[in-house]
Amino acid sequence: MSHFLFIRNEASIPLNLREAFSAPEQRIVIRRSPNEAQSAIKRGAFDMIIIYAESGEKIMQRHLRDIRETREDVFTIVLVPEYSLASETTAFDEGADLYFAEPVPVRTLKRLLQKDPVAEESHLSKPPEGSKYPIVKTTADTASTLRTLRDLSHILSFSLDYKAFTQHFILKLRDHISFSRIGIFLESSAKQSVVRKSTTNHLECIASLGLPTDLIDCFQLSRDVGIGKELSERPRILHRQRQTAPPFSVSAGNTEKEFAILGCDIAIPISDREGSIGIAVLNGPVTGRSFIDDELELLYVLMEELGLAIRNSRLHSELAQHGQLIENVLHSMSSGALVCGEDLQILYTNDAARRFLRIENSDTKRQVDFAELPHKLASPIHRAVEKGELPEPFEIDGPEGDGIFRVSIFPFTQKGELVLLPRPTMVIVEDFTKIEANKQSAVDSTKEKLISLIAERFAHEIRNSLVPLSTHAQLIDKKIDQPNFQASLKNSIIKETARIKRFSEQMLYMAQSSLAGSNELALAQLVEDAFDRARSQLGNSSAQLTFDNQSRSSQLKGNSEALTYAIEELFINSMQAAPDKQEIKVVLTEDEEGILRIKLRDGGSGLSSTVIEQAAEPFFTTRYTGVGLGLSVANKIVSEHGGYLRLYPRDDKHEWDVEIELPSLLIPSTR
């Protein structure tokens, strides 16, 4: 893992440079000056230092001097907003290794940052063999100390703040084992309360002794390189002088570098018995001797106990946070929520539930008693808890008869879990007063609009029918003896009364079922009769029917009058769609399953997709005459006979405008 120090007045990296610092194996520490990370620089914690010199040449010069006074060999890059020869000269005179001016070559900078400086250090000396300190035997005092350390592990189960008790743990540990420096590095918690963060391999120092604060703030371990990688691949006690990696390898170089930065000699994995959650890094005894095997084994066990305590602390924290989250969610709900325990005690009520029960908000600490629940609510809750009976959501009145409330009851059981009674139950009480009022208002409004639309359409059509009749009535005294007037009057009476009769029939078919009087029918004859009636209705003697009856013996069972009327409406629409082209093509087919199909195409331009979507809706029309019930009535009649009415647009995929599908045997529709 690479560590970089970025020096800038603001605590962020400029947008144009963020791409260069985006690698996951990089740790970027941002400080306003080198003095804020002096100890970390002095220990060689940073692979590179980048100075973003936006505050002028003098401040850049002071930063470079502070860096060189702290550590001369650290690689330093200077970035300036605008190139200046004097600034470049000053930067190199003060020890900068590279100097870039805006626009900064991001790809070049990215290559520099990704370059592994440890890999280039070919001059790494081979670590000496053997132990640095002589091994001495344990004494009686040491044995007593070890017994004390065994007892120390018991305190870890009694604290909830893992950072606090970890710090207390290492302080107590130092009283018995004389190290002068230790750091406890942990991975971030795997689970989050609300949002699960992306997993990371970085190990952050949560407790330390003898390590500079600014070093701890800047430095982290990683499972991808160095000490973290070695202990992740092979959990064990890792000695600085006993690395298993080849002495001149990159891995060995990173491990040696991290030990040197921290000033430690031993690394011990911290396990929670399920997996490694961190690393403890410490130095040897201050007396100069090495830890004996018993001490190391005990340290290993104690770190495992520490890991278990940390895991328990985190689980407790997560549980508390989840519980608080659930309480916050229930508290913020506009619906009432209450939880009833196995013994019919009310364990929880939110503010909305207390308002429903008419309990003062100021008395939030008072526990609600089950007896305070209204009978209509208490009775189903009692059956749900004691007998496991879960009713469908139901509605009740408010405690004082005001409002309408919807009640839903949910048991606290896992899916597939064996149900044991009694069981805790959660109750949700939703205020449906406004919802029901809005529903009733919407129904009333819809009724009013529908009545208004029907009255408007029929008034318009009846008025149109009465105009020619009233005109003839005004002239009847003067022209009653004229043969032409008599013929015109007769024609108007027949035509307009037929129109009014058609409107009446449409309304009757919309209001009642069309299945009454079902009998055996010849479909071909029915189609021909419907065409003749449509032609007579419109007074159109020039219309022609091209009828291809491929199943001449097709029979079906149904209401002859209703089906004829439905097909008549389709023929009327076809004749009105193309007054100049009066040829209508019809094909009748029957498949092996006894399904009859009537396909129709007129001489007009066809139906658009937009019109097809609304064509079967009542009172929809594209003409200035008619009330828009023709296709609605036809669709209703066909549907009641177990069939389907389909409309198609004029395109390459569809040859026909209308298709009716009917079963040969009457199958009443449930749609």
Side-chain angles (χ1 to χ4, degrees), residues 389-402:
E389 298 178 6
L390 297 178
E392 294 293 327
F394 59 94
E395 294 182 355
I396 62 173
D397 297 332
E400 298 179 3
D402 54 336

Side-chain angles (χ1 to χ4, degrees), residues 138-298:
T138 182
T139 64
D141 292 339
T142 304
S144 176
T145 298
L146 297 184
R147 286 193 296 271
T148 303
L149 289 178
R150 291 188 183 95
D151 297 334
L152 181 65
S153 64
H154 296 294
I155 70 171
L156 299 178
S157 303
F158 300 100
S159 181
L160 298 179
D161 185 347
Y162 69 90
K163 291 186 178 180
F165 72 61
T166 301
Q167 186 67 39
H168 181 67
F169 172 80
I170 61 177
L171 290 174
K172 288 292 184 182
L173 189 63
R174 190 192 181 195
D175 292 341
H176 303 284
I177 296 183
S178 57
F179 55 82
S180 61
R181 198 175 297 116
I182 188 173
I184 305 295
F185 292 82
L186 286 186
E187 63 184 14
S188 61
S189 182
K191 298 179 180 179
Q192 303 297 328
S193 299
V194 182
V195 180
R196 184 181 294 273
K197 298 181 180 178
S198 58
T199 57
T200 175
N201 287 330
H202 296 178
L203 305 176
E204 178 185 2
C205 185
I206 64 156
S208 65
L209 181 66
L211 298 177
T213 303
D214 59 343
L215 174 65
I216 296 306
D217 292 340
C218 301
F219 188 78
Q220 291 182 354
L221 297 180
S222 172
R223 295 192 186 279
D224 297 326
V225 293
I227 297 173
K229 182 178 181 180
E230 289 217 27
L231 292 186
S232 296
E233 293 177 349
R234 185 184 169 196
R236 67 194 187 282
I237 298 176
L238 179 64
H239 296 262
R240 182 176 181 179
Q241 308 297 340
R242 302 178 190 173
Q243 300 178 43
T244 57
F248 298 102
S249 67
V250 173
S251 177
N254 281 321
T255 304
E256 171 64 24
K257 178 182 176 181
E258 291 174 349
F259 272 127
I261 291 172
L262 295 171
C264 296
D265 304 307
I266 296 173
I268 303 174
I270 300 175
S271 170
D272 62 356
R273 296 184 184 175
E274 292 182 358
S276 175
I277 63 172
I279 296 172
V281 184
L282 66 159
N283 66 340
V286 294
T287 59
R289 69 175 179 86
S290 297
F291 287 124
I292 63 173
D293 289 343
D294 287 344
E295 290 175 317
L296 292 175
E297 289 178 5
L298 181 60

Side-chain angles (χ1 to χ4, degrees), residues 438-483:
N438 291 336
K439 285 169 60 177
Q440 187 60 41
S441 176
V443 170
D444 294 341
S445 177
T446 302
K447 289 180 179 178
E448 292 177 0
K449 290 180 180 179
L450 182 60
I451 293 171
S452 176
L453 181 60
I454 293 173
E456 178 185 353
R457 293 290 176 87
F458 273 81
H460 177 73
E461 290 303 315
I462 292 174
R463 185 170 58 248
N464 288 343
S465 298
L466 292 177
V467 168
L469 297 178
S470 61
T471 302
H472 283 84
Q474 294 174 10
L475 299 174
I476 194 169
D477 293 334
K478 297 179 181 180
K479 299 185 177 183
I480 188 60
D481 296 331
Q482 298 178 12

Side-chain angles (χ1 to χ4, degrees), residues 361-379:
N361 290 333
S362 58
D363 197 10
T364 55
K365 294 184 179 180
R366 182 177 74 83
Q367 185 174 3
V368 178
D369 191 80
F370 187 81
E372 297 181 69
L373 302 181
H375 175 72
K376 292 183 178 179
L377 182 61
S379 179

Side-chain angles (χ1 to χ4, degrees), residues 1 88 99 168 180 327 332 369 508 599 609 617 622 644:
M1 182 177 184
E88 182 183 23
Y99 177 94
H168 181 67
S180 61
E327 184 174 349
S332 63
D369 191 80
L508 287 174
K599 301 177 182 179
S609 300
E617 295 180 5
T622 58
Y644 297 91

Side-chain angles (χ1 to χ4, degrees), residues 12 14 42 64 100 149 257 300 542 600 640:
S12 63
K42 187 174 183 179
L64 287 169
F100 294 110
L149 289 178
K257 178 182 176 181
Y300 190 93
S542 61
L600 183 149
E640 289 176 343

Side-chain angles (χ1 to χ4, degrees), residues 345-351 353-373:
Q345 282 190 343
I346 304 301
L347 305 178
Y348 174 83
T349 53
N350 66 354
D351 290 347
R354 289 175 175 268
R355 287 194 298 269
F356 169 76
L357 298 173
R358 300 296 189 269
I359 298 176
E360 296 293 336
N361 290 333
S362 58
D363 197 10
T364 55
K365 294 184 179 180
R366 182 177 74 83
Q367 185 174 3
V368 178
D369 191 80
F370 187 81
E372 297 181 69
L373 302 181

